[in-house]
Amino acid sequence: MINVLIVDDEENVRMAIRYLADFGSYGISQIFEASNGVEARMVMNNNKVDILFTDICMPESDGVFLMNWVRGRYPDMIIIVISGYQNFDYILQAMRNGAIDYLLKPIDPEKLKQVIQKAIGLINDANPNGQIDDLETFDQIKAYLDKNYTTDISLESVAQKFGFNASYLSRRFKQKYGLGMIDYVTKLRMQKAKEMLITTNLNIYNVSAQLGYKDEKYFSRVFAKETGLSPKQYRKNKKPE
């Protein structure tokens, strides 16, 4: 998983980044904070950090010193600079120290989103296969699907939640589990549909709706393709008298 550290002496700025970034939607669950470079170094010495947001002007140890320190010890860390000053010299200093981008206060939500996506893309590209190929992460994705398959789920939404490219996620999921992600979700839904048709008296529309399908006719087509029978035929043939 991807971990983030936010370093700024203003607590409201750290809180704003947490709130506006919606880190959870990118599969980022561990977010650390520090109010200056000294605290930041302590965090990084004790925890894995992949993306660093750092202010430039801070007491005790400023952002420029912190970036130099990071480059010497954690050269693969992604750095994003935040500052209240729209000054070319600050921007130049940040880029010379390896920052991938620059955010001005107050933080623009759309710009923040773009920067996070850029950072995740760079982390993915740095891996041998071009993506984060983490066994534990794929197990988490499967567990998420097992729990949420009845919701309005899509390949794109799951890819964004876990920080993957959608086509890569589908390909690697199939390699690991033998089915593409959408095919896996469909299989779960059809298994549940067969159970509901046999054990309940719900009409086909309600069975369809409870499994996340907005269109009953589409559900019936998928069911027939999967089983060779329409939902009504399946219920008639399989349900005990």
Side-chain angles (χ1 to χ4, degrees), residues 8-10 13 55 57 82-85 103-108:
D8 197 295
D9 58 316
E10 299 177 72
V13 173
D55 192 6
C57 298
I82 48 180
S83 180
Y85 302 94
L103 294 171
L104 290 173
K105 303 175 190 177
I107 304 298
D108 180 292

Side-chain angles (χ1 to χ4, degrees), residues 132-171:
I132 300 172
D133 191 0
D134 185 308
L135 180 62
E136 182 181 348
T137 300
F138 273 86
D139 287 341
Q140 290 174 352
I141 291 172
K142 184 175 178 292
Y144 175 81
L145 298 177
D146 290 342
K147 182 179 179 181
N148 296 281
Y149 69 91
T150 60
T151 64
D152 184 17
I153 206 165
S154 71
L155 178 63
E156 289 72 22
S157 66
V158 175
Q160 184 182 53
K161 178 176 179 63
F162 287 91
F164 285 94
N165 171 274
S167 61
Y168 173 84
L169 170 59
S170 181
R171 184 174 70 253

Side-chain angles (χ1 to χ4, degrees), residues 167-205:
S167 61
Y168 173 84
L169 170 59
S170 181
R171 184 174 70 253
R172 292 295 295 139
F173 192 94
K174 186 172 184 177
Q175 289 174 351
K176 180 169 173 56
Y177 299 110
L179 286 172
M181 197 199 85
I182 296 304
D183 290 336
Y184 180 74
V185 170
T186 299
K187 181 181 177 182
L188 291 175
R189 287 175 170 177
M190 293 304 104
Q191 287 174 341
K192 186 64 176 178
K194 288 186 280 188
E195 177 188 326
M196 293 172 72
L197 289 168
I198 293 173
T199 61
T200 77
N201 292 317
L202 291 172
N203 61 38
I204 306 304
Y205 173 82

Side-chain angles (χ1 to χ4, degrees), residues 89-101:
D89 289 337
Y90 281 114
I91 297 173
L92 191 59
Q93 275 187 302
M95 297 308 172
R96 281 175 175 170
N97 283 280
I100 66 161
D101 219 320

Side-chain angles (χ1 to χ4, degrees), residues 4-17:
V4 167
L5 170 60
I6 306 168
V7 188
D8 197 295
D9 58 316
E10 299 177 72
E11 184 180 7
N12 63 317
V13 173
R14 302 196 303 271
M15 290 176 62
I17 292 174

Side-chain angles (χ1 to χ4, degrees), residues 44 49-50 67-79 97-100 126:
M44 286 184 276
V49 173
D50 304 288
M67 284 187 282
N68 282 323
W69 183 86
V70 166
R71 279 290 157 254
R73 290 163 179 79
Y74 308 106
D76 295 329
M77 192 178 298
I78 302 296
I79 299 175
N97 283 280
I100 66 161

